[in-house]
DNA sequence: ATAAAACCTGAACTTAGCTTGAGGTCAATG
DNA sequence: CATTGACCTCAAGCTAAGTTCAGGTTTTAT
């Protein structure tokens, strides 16, 4: 009978190991734990021990961060999973679709801004009257009625 | 002979007036001044008095901020103008082109990220091997040679 | 058995871009 | 001429996402 290697198989990870393998600093892992984004078991001597899943969880956190989702929101999304489990493939699909939409919105916003900026570069209108880049509190707002060109975000 | 209305014509503005007309809080104007982005003259009683140009200057600052340029960089760009003058139309063209390029880069980055995310939603690979979203410190980096898929930025 | 490496907690520090508060002065109005 | 409202300075506080430090404990390797 083949015995599984007792050392290499499914051993829990120390915080240093998770740091090395995830590319996240130990201090950041502590921080995530304080914020409730990850959890750890403790060894007899009170050191953190992580099940391997934590790597997946941290990977999800990092992706969401790259998309620009604040940690607090990531935490909420993860906490909303049944029993706070680490995302399954199904969960991941839902989360990433949600974050993808957020990404779309951000791209959209920047592209609209770019268009406005282009108008403005062409016309030099920053100095003049009806610049869509200038905000509603400006001259326009006090110079009588007419189109306001409000552009909330 | 028509005399210009002595009140309404070219009077300098108080900080409150600038705040109302620019949509920027008084405290923020103070802050910009400390950071060297705007300057003020002082009244006999040590209150700030702004030439009207300041509105243009603040408008430029706000646009740059919307593009995502850090205040410090905005300050440098403004300071680089001859004698720290308020941007002329020519200056504005140069500045806005510069910032437009930065905007392009940011949009580009986000779109590449979106593509990667799309791949990853499709394949669910976050959990598996060769996900372009996962960083180089991860599993891949330690599991032998082969494509590294490094993706700096 | 001991030394080095890794780990623990809690508190303070960091950057950006402001806001808020305290304590006091200036300016416009009735 | 007295009362507001606007203004002044300086210091401290805020949020996000961590990092750094001090002082002490645990694990691992020799």
């Amino acid at each position: 009978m083949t015995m599984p290697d007792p050392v290499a198989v499914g051993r829990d990870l120390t915080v240093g190991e998770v740091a090395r393998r995830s590319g996240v600093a130990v201090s950041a892992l502590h921080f995530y734990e304080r914020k409730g984004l990850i959890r750890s078991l403790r060894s007899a001597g009170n050191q953190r021990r992580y099940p391997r899943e934590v790597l997946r969880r941290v990977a999800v956190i990092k992706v969401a961060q790259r998309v620009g989702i604040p940690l607090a929101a990531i935490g909420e999304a993860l906490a909303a999973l049944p029993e706070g489990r680490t995302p399954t493939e199904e969960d991941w699909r839902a989360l990433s679709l949600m974050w993808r939409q957020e990404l779309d919105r951000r791209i959209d916003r920047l592209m609209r801004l770019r268009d406005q900026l282009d108008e403005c570069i062409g016309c030099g209108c920053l100095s003049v009257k009806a610049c869509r880049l200038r905000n509603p509190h400006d001259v326009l707002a006090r110079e009588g009625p007419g189109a306001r060109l409000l552009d909330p975000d």
Side-chain angles (χ1 to χ4, degrees), chain A residues 2-151:
Chain A
T2 53
M3 283 301 204
D5 179 343
V7 161
V9 167
R11 225 194 51 236
D12 282 351
L13 303 169
T14 68
V15 71
E17 283 164 342
V18 174
R20 270 190 304 282
R21 300 190 52 164
S22 68
V24 167
V26 169
S27 61
L29 293 170
H30 285 189
F31 180 76
Y32 293 161
E33 187 168 325
R34 276 207 304 288
K35 294 290 176 180
L37 280 91
I38 60 179
R39 263 170 303 164
S40 60
L41 305 170
R42 296 304 177 112
S43 74
N46 194 38
Q47 296 195 351
R48 287 172 179 79
R49 290 298 179 263
Y50 296 96
R52 275 152 189 276
E53 311 179 331
V54 83
L55 291 174
R56 194 160 157 60
R57 213 173 160 91
V58 172
V60 170
I61 293 169
K62 290 186 69 182
V63 169
Q65 280 201 292
R66 285 181 63 191
V67 174
I69 312 297
L71 268 196
I74 302 173
E76 282 166 32
L78 289 176
L81 298 178
E83 299 159 58
R85 73 178 169 220
T86 286
T88 62
E89 285 208 12
E90 239 341 85
D91 295 331
W92 162 244
R93 226 177 301 284
L95 290 173
S96 52
L97 276 173
M98 183 168 110
W99 291 331
R100 199 217 120 104
Q101 283 173 33
E102 178 59 29
L103 197 45
D104 277 342
R105 279 189 290 274
R106 305 210 309 131
I107 291 172
D108 217 65
R109 227 170 54 75
L110 290 186
M111 295 203 317
R112 274 184 288 123
L113 182 55
R114 178 168 63 183
D115 290 345
Q116 290 176 25
L117 191 55
D118 280 346
E119 274 181 44
C120 208
I121 292 169
C123 71
C125 64
L126 234 213
S127 51
V128 200
K129 297 233 167 198
C131 183
R132 290 180 55 205
L133 270 174
R134 299 188 77 164
N135 75 26
H137 289 284
D138 220 337
V139 184
L140 211 56
R142 283 278 152 213
E143 290 194 345
R148 289 300 168 87
L149 297 172
L150 287 183
D151 183 28

